[in-house]
Amino acid sequence: LNELFIETRLTLGSEVGGEAKPVPYRALLGAETNHIVFGHPGAGKTTLARTLCRHLLMDEASEASPLEFPIVIRLRETKQVSLFEAVLDAGGITIDLKCRFGKTMLKDDIDMFAQVQENAVVDFLNEYSALLILEGFDELQDSRRSEWKQQIEKLSLQVESSLILITTRSASDIGAVHNVRRLFICPFEPSDVEAFVSSWFDSQDQAEVFLNELRNTPYSGAELRPLTLSTLCAIFERYQ
């Protein structure tokens, strides 16, 4: 990942450019603000999340960040009903109140339990400095998005020691979220494509052959998305 990674260009502002302000991706580790990162399929959202995790866990540069470790929740895979349940599960934290309520819990008991879970998550994230990554908000079921968005807002307003990073495809998936800054992933520039291809292939000659052939195919222009480019490189390499 480190050899192939081309630094993600993030912009603060309009999805279509204009007066968008560039933001270095490493700044996400030292910021005091929560973020939503928007990007089209294959733009590099998952790669960005993995790179930030690697920096926190393995990179000496992470010493300059106030964050200690990442917590990653892939929303496509989560079975938990609430965000708070998902964070507790990811952190390996168990809360069992059945000893008090017995096997059957009434509605008031369930509401109280939910509040206990929320308080536990807030306390945990304020005691430790974590980067909570909620990956793929767009992959949550439509029926769950509104409730999870509200829970994200509640968490963002109560947590001070940790940061929240959400990834999703477009602004329409989640809308405006209080106390969360919006960033957009930019497509590859031609120089990024050349650097990626040079890192992929063993020889520069092979990289140049690939780039020359790509320019003369219907796929020209599609390589501006990292996932598409890596797929094209793998196909070309396999059939050479």
Side-chain angles (χ1 to χ4, degrees), residues 32-134:
E32 297 181 356
T33 307
N34 304 306
H35 291 93
I36 301 176
V37 176
F38 300 102
H40 297 295
K45 300 184 295 296
T46 297
T47 300
L48 172 63
R50 290 176 179 174
T51 301
L52 292 173
C53 290
R54 180 177 59 80
H55 282 313
L56 282 179
L57 296 173
M58 302 174 60
D59 198 335
E60 294 181 359
S62 65
E63 295 178 2
S65 171
L67 302 174
E68 300 176 48
F69 56 88
I71 299 174
V72 181
I73 299 175
R74 295 182 174 88
L75 300 182
R76 176 179 57 187
E77 302 171 1
T78 186
K79 300 295 191 297
Q80 283 72 31
V81 174
S82 72
L83 169 62
F84 306 112
E85 282 187 31
V87 175
L88 291 172
D89 181 69
I93 303 170
T94 302
I95 300 175
D96 188 359
L97 298 185
K98 288 184 179 179
C99 57
R100 173 174 177 178
F101 299 116
K103 293 183 179 180
T104 303
M105 296 175 65
L106 303 176
K107 182 181 184 304
D108 289 345
D109 297 334
I110 294 173
D111 292 342
M112 178 182 174
F113 189 35
Q115 187 61 54
V116 170
Q117 289 180 318
E118 179 181 336
N119 294 341
V121 169
V122 171
D123 290 344
F124 173 74
L125 293 178
N126 277 327
E127 182 175 353
Y128 300 98
S129 299
L131 176 63
L132 175 60
I133 299 176
L134 305 177

Side-chain angles (χ1 to χ4, degrees), residues 210 214 219 222-223 227-237:
F210 170 82
L214 182 61
Y219 299 108
E223 75 277 5
L227 181 60
T228 304
L229 180 59
S230 61
T231 302
L232 292 173
C233 286
I235 294 172
F236 181 85
E237 191 173 43

Side-chain angles (χ1 to χ4, degrees), residues 5 7-12 22-38 44-45 47-53 55-56 64-67 130-133 161-167 180-185:
F5 181 71
E7 182 164 335
T8 305
R9 289 187 174 87
L10 299 168
T11 60
L12 174 65
V23 177
Y25 80 92
R26 286 176 181 262
L28 300 181
L29 297 178
E32 297 181 356
T33 307
N34 304 306
H35 291 93
I36 301 176
V37 176
F38 300 102
K45 300 184 295 296
T47 300
L48 172 63
R50 290 176 179 174
T51 301
L52 292 173
C53 290
H55 282 313
L56 282 179
S65 171
L67 302 174
L131 176 63
L132 175 60
I133 299 176
S161 298
S162 296
L163 293 178
I164 303 171
L165 175 69
I166 308 153
T167 68
V180 178
R181 189 166 69 161
R182 297 150 65 96
L183 297 174
F184 298 90
I185 294 183

